[in-house]
């Protein structure tokens, strides 16, 4: 069911490793072209384009795109008490985890009368996307909204696909989670079109453009973020999910197989990769994956994901090669099923989130760990981070000098301005000393 890539006995440069990692590159390229067109249709066509897309992609017509307040209230009143309790626990844990991500203002005294204050300003308006197609990710409401609230964002618009099975409404569990967090502005819009609507606004719906768009989704949603980059800020391109499990010969093959399948059930484009230096473990995991995949509820979806070019069992010579491969792959989720996992974790530096030890599955991070599950995919963890309160904050420097402090650096500013042939820069400083005494001019 899962192909094997044998890298043993070979030497790889960093570029070779990047080329060797399993990726669904063709699917991503196709998604970008399609998503760009969908976004443009929304930008130019507004509500009419959104209704056309709802009919084509969601099999929904005539629905209320702006979710009425009563739908939110009904969803919260009818949600299963156990689910509500779980959501409340997740909210509390993610709120605590996110609070640690808000830096305190820092003031640096450069010299007498010269100071710089580093402050973190929240954006004014956030747009969050919550998938609802194959899986209604109510947990993603928590993961997106809570960090925005912790950062101090006061205007939040939430978009999620209309559901044919719920008369065109957003999935009720998603609505219940939104209501728990007191999000009142909710739209029944799905996929790449939702990203375009949040970025450009839709005047007929009273949807104003946002400053930052966040949220997970499939490759089309991730590509739509690329299409609106520069119009609005975005989090990382959290596309089709990925798991990389690094395991040694002592790992439990059944747990490894269970965790690979847990991510493969998200989507046919999901990536599930085992990286090991043990051929015996690789064989055991392959057997357990086949047995578990056939018995799981979404067997067909899992089989498609596991047999795709983005999934594999990768054999390497040793731990050092495993570390190099993992850091080149830069997975969304990295699990370490290693005897020395806690000590080894510091060497696995490129991942959206690192799950240390066999008792810390990705499923924990999806719901209850207190960490955030909106994470970079497609190798972006080499340079990008997961969603957090900092996603909704802008670092700003506030500079304050008095006259004497400016005088102390006056000559330096003029010298550099003249060297760069920008004399007006220096003149702007000199203007503040017009009529100064000879002693002041000499400073």
């Amino acid at each position: 069911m899962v192909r094997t890539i044998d890298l043993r006995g070979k030497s790889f440069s960093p570029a070779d490793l990047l080329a060797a990692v399993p990726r669904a590159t063709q699917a991503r390229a196709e998604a970008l072209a399609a998503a760009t067109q969908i976004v443009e249709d929304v930008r130019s066509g507004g509500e009419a384009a959104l209704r056309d897309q709802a009919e084509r992609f969601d099999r929904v017509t005539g629905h209320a795109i702006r979710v009425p307040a009563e739908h939110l209230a009904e969803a919260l009143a009818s949600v299963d008490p156990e689910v509500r309790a779980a959501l409340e626990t997740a909210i509390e844990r993610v709120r605590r985890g996110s609070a640690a991500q808000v830096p305190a203002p820092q003031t640096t005294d450069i010299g007498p009368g010269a100071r710089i204050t580093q402050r973190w300003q929240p954006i004014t308006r956030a747009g969050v996307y919550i998938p609802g197609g194959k899986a209604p990710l109510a947990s993603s409401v928590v993961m997106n909204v809570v960090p925005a609230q912790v950062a101090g964002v006061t205007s939040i618009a939430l978009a999620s696909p209309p559901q044919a099975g719920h008369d065109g409404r957003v999935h009720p569990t998603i609505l219940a989670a939104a209501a728990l967090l007191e999000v009142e502005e909710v739209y029944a819009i799905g996929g790449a079109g939702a990203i375009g609507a949040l970025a450009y606004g839709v005047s007929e719906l009273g949807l104003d453009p946002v400053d930052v768009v966040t949220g997970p989704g499939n490759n089309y949603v991730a590509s739509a973020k690329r299409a609106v980059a520069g119009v609005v800020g975005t989090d990382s391109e959290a596309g089709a999910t990925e798991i990389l499990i690094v395991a040694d010969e002592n790992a439990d093959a059944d747990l490894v197989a269970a965790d690979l399948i847990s991510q493969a059930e998200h989507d046919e484009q999901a990536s599930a990769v085992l990286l090991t230096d043990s051929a015996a473990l690789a064989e055991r995991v392959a057997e357990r994956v086949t047995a578990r995949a056939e018995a799981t509820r979404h067997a067909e979806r899992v089989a498609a994901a596991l047999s795709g070019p983005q999934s594999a069992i990768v054999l390497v010579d040793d731990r050092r090669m495993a570390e190099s491969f993992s850091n080149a792959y830069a997975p969304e989720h990295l699990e370490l099923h290693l005897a020395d996992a806690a000590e080894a974790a510091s060497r696995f530096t490129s991942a959206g989130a690192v799950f240390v030890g066999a008792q810390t599955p990705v499923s924990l991070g999806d719901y209850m760990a207190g960490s955030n599950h909106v994470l970079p995919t497609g190798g972006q963890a080499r340079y990008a981070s997961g969603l957090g309160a900092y996603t909704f904050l802008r670092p700003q420097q506030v500079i304050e000098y008095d006259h004497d402090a400016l005088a102390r650096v006056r000559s330096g500013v003029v010298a550099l301005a003249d060297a760069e042939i920008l004399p007006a820069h220096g003149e702007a400083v000199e203007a503040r000393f017009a009529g100064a005494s000879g002693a002041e001019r000499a400073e």
Side-chain angles (χ1 to χ4, degrees):
M1 181 173 290
V2 188
R3 66 185 174 129
T4 297
I5 301 174
D6 193 343
L7 302 181
R8 293 174 297 180
K10 301 174 183 177
S11 179
F12 291 91
S13 69
D16 293 334
L17 278 175
L18 286 172
V21 300
R23 302 272 192 221
T25 53
Q26 182 60 35
R28 289 180 179 275
E30 292 170 357
L32 179 59
T36 300
Q37 184 59 57
I38 289 169
V39 167
E40 175 57 27
D41 289 345
V42 171
R43 187 191 69 79
S44 59
E47 181 180 356
L50 291 173
R51 291 198 177 278
D52 175 68
Q53 291 166 12
E55 184 174 4
R56 281 192 291 150
F57 303 132
D58 304 305
R59 304 182 310 282
V60 168
T61 59
H63 63 302
I65 296 181
R66 176 73 181 253
V67 174
E70 56 266 29
H71 290 189
L72 289 157
E74 290 169 10
L76 185 56
S78 61
V79 70
D80 183 287
E82 220 176 317
V83 173
R84 176 170 180 159
L87 285 169
E88 289 172 339
T89 299
I91 289 169
E92 188 272 333
R93 286 172 171 255
V94 174
R95 200 175 295 283
R96 288 172 59 192
S98 300
Q101 299 168 342
V102 180
Q106 297 288 335
T107 297
T108 304
D109 290 319
I110 302 298
R115 104 174 18 94
I116 297 175
T117 298
Q118 178 75 55
R119 70 181 186 186
W120 298 79
Q121 289 287 102
I123 62 166
T124 301
R125 181 165 163 78
V128 302
Y129 179 70
I130 310 302
K134 293 182 174 69
L137 299 186
S139 58
S140 287
V141 178
V142 178
M143 300 293 174
N144 282 267
V145 172
V146 169
Q149 291 176 336
V150 168
V153 179
T154 55
S155 177
I156 300 174
L158 185 152
S160 189
Q163 303 286 312
H166 293 279
D167 297 323
R169 296 189 182 192
V170 170
H171 194 280
T173 313
I174 290 174
L175 290 181
L180 273 176
L181 288 163
E182 300 181 351
V183 177
E184 299 176 350
E185 188 180 351
V186 181
Y187 299 89
I189 311 173
I195 305 303
L198 292 168
Y200 290 104
V202 182
S203 58
E204 308 101 301
L205 301 173
L207 172 53
D208 294 325
V210 302
D211 301 313
V212 169
V213 175
T214 69
N218 58 21
N219 285 338
Y220 294 93
V221 171
S223 296
K225 290 181 185 177
R226 185 171 296 185
V228 301
V231 177
V232 293
T234 65
D235 60 346
S236 58
E237 294 175 20
T241 194
E242 302 166 346
I243 184 172
L244 173 66
I245 299 178
V246 182
D248 58 24
E249 61 183 1
N250 298 312
D252 186 320
D254 198 55
L255 293 182
V256 171
D259 291 357
L260 291 171
I261 290 169
S262 75
Q263 295 306 295
E265 79 169 339
H266 271 280
D267 190 282
E268 289 85 352
Q269 297 174 342
S271 302
V273 181
L274 166 64
L275 178 63
T276 184
D277 58 3
S278 170
L281 176 72
E283 186 175 343
R284 294 197 303 273
V285 169
E287 292 172 355
R288 294 307 303 147
V289 162
T290 299
R292 277 186 166 274
E294 291 172 351
T296 194
R297 175 175 178 175
H298 300 296
E300 188 174 338
R301 187 188 307 166
V302 167
L306 292 175
S307 61
Q310 72 275 15
S311 298
I313 294 174
V314 180
L315 288 169
V316 292
D317 288 318
D318 51 31
R319 175 72 62 79
R320 184 173 180 180
M321 190 174 183
E323 292 165 4
S324 297
F325 182 96
S326 176
N327 290 332
Y329 184 19
E332 176 189 22
H333 305 103
L334 172 63
E335 283 189 5
L336 301 180
H337 289 235
L338 304 169
D340 60 340
E343 186 274 331
S346 63
R347 297 190 294 277
F348 290 86
T349 55
S350 294
V354 183
F355 297 81
V356 180
Q359 301 307 310
T360 316
V362 167
S363 300
L364 174 65
D366 284 341
Y367 300 114
M368 290 292 178
S371 56
N372 203 293
H373 76 201
V374 183
L375 302 166
T377 61
Q380 290 191 78
R382 288 165 49 223
Y383 53 84
S385 65
L387 185 67
Y390 40 73
T391 306
F392 304 97
L393 294 168
R394 297 160 292 158
Q396 294 176 336
Q397 289 185 315
V398 181
I399 302 96
E400 184 181 2
Y401 273 56
D402 63 22
H403 188 76
D404 290 343
L406 180 61
R408 292 185 185 93
V409 296
R410 171 185 174 188
S411 62
V413 172
V414 172
L416 288 172
D418 288 344
E420 294 183 351
I421 319 176
L422 296 170
H425 283 59
E427 291 163 7
V429 170
E430 290 292 355
R432 286 158 172 80
F433 297 92
S437 67
E440 288 177 308
R441 285 194 299 270
E443 287 180 349

